[in-house]
Amino acid sequence: MSPLLRRKEKKRPDERTVTLIGKPGCHLCEDAREVVGRVCAETGARWEEKDISQDEELYRRHWEQIPVVLIDGEQHTFWRVNAERLRRALEG
């Protein structure tokens, strides 16, 4: 079967990992941290935070977009995090 026709296996929220990429002193990152932390606590998803100032590759890829939110390694959003959209993505 063509990879384009295969359905992605649906994961439960507690099987998902959200990554917040930001940097210290970023007010948008602080707002995103609050939203990501709350939604992950509600859904059971794991989350981690990465600092672009400590990782040259992350800096090169994301410096113009921080904060960036990834779900299972794939970009979900950047700049502003919408709690309802993140919740739907994790549950869905």
Side-chain angles (χ1 to χ4, degrees):
M1 177 182 276
S2 166
L4 296 175
L5 299 177
R6 284 189 203 137
R7 286 187 177 167
K8 282 190 174 181
E9 184 179 320
K10 187 174 177 180
K11 293 183 178 181
R12 297 185 327 251
D14 64 342
E15 298 174 320
R16 317 283 315 258
T17 300
V18 176
T19 304
L20 173 61
I21 300 171
K23 69 176 185 176
C26 166
H27 72 281
L28 291 177
C29 300
E30 293 170 10
D31 294 345
R33 183 179 304 113
E34 189 276 324
V35 173
V36 168
R38 180 170 31 91
V39 172
C40 287
E42 292 168 1
T43 62
R46 295 178 301 272
W47 77 282
E48 62 186 4
E49 192 166 355
K50 295 189 177 181
D51 179 351
I52 66 165
S53 67
Q54 302 298 314
D55 186 315
E56 191 174 313
E57 177 63 20
L58 287 178
Y59 181 85
R60 186 183 62 72
R61 281 194 287 168
H62 299 293
W63 73 274
E64 290 183 312
Q65 296 180 326
I66 63 166
V68 175
V69 175
L70 311 177
I71 299 176
D72 298 331
E74 294 184 22
Q75 188 166 333
H76 168 71
T77 195
F78 61 95
W79 293 337
R80 300 241 183 237
V81 182
N82 179 286
E84 191 55 40
R85 182 171 176 260
L86 179 59
R87 188 176 294 105
R88 280 193 313 267
L90 291 170
E91 294 174 345

